[in-house]
Amino acid sequence: MRIDIITVLPELLKSPFEASILKRAIEKDLVEVHLHNLRDYTTGNYKQVDDYQFGGGAGMVMMIEPIDKCISQLKSEREYDEVIYMTPDGKTLNQGMANEISMKKNIIVLCGHYKGVDQRVRDMFVTREISIGDYVLSGGELAAAILCDAVIRLLPGVLNDETSALTDTFQDNLLAPPVYTRPAEYKGMEVPKILLSGNFPKIEKWREQQALERTQERRPDLLEK
């Protein structure tokens, strides 16, 4: 999988890909992540990427020309399955969406800034608009990092135990059941005896029931789906 991220703040995005699972995935050639500084596609001494919005109003708007140049350059080199724009008014990211995107080969992720991008960018290039929640960030970089983390961990070979992702919260619209590790007893609190029984069919049944009960209690809306 190849992910090309277009941003005005590439330095903000470097650290998530230099540690932990994302770093290992890149080093194992399971994914390529390339950062593209939008200012490299501008002209003039000021490397301007934004301008005042037509019709007046507070806030600057990201200009269409440098974005067009960047995306067009990338598209001239390879085919892309998706051009994703990170924006508060996009569809909220969920596990099903991450699963779907993880099946793609090449994607572009465009990070918004200021008051967003010129609408013509969205009309011309964007195939999917994603939000990470009903709030506004200073830019789309942190949202892009979250999207990449959610997607990359699903790629075959990224996790040491590939079945781990299949039992994550939100898979099958259920929250994950409670989990325990050593010691079996701590300050009077004991691990449920079923987990120590070695009876794996019964353990799986217990986990399914716990997942269902936890979902009913905390996120009943998921069961409606």
Side-chain angles (χ1 to χ4, degrees), residues 61-72:
V61 177
M62 294 178 70
M63 301 162 65
I64 187 172
E65 185 174 8
I67 297 174
D68 181 9
K69 288 181 177 179
C70 184
I71 293 178
S72 295

Side-chain angles (χ1 to χ4, degrees), residues 52-58:
Y52 295 102
Q53 55 182 307
F54 284 124

Side-chain angles (χ1 to χ4, degrees), residues 27-42:
E27 290 177 343
K28 292 166 68 174
D29 293 326
L30 300 174
V31 64
E32 292 182 44
V33 179
H34 300 271
L35 306 180
H36 303 273
N37 191 336
L38 196 57
R39 298 188 190 279
D40 294 338
Y41 296 85
T42 61

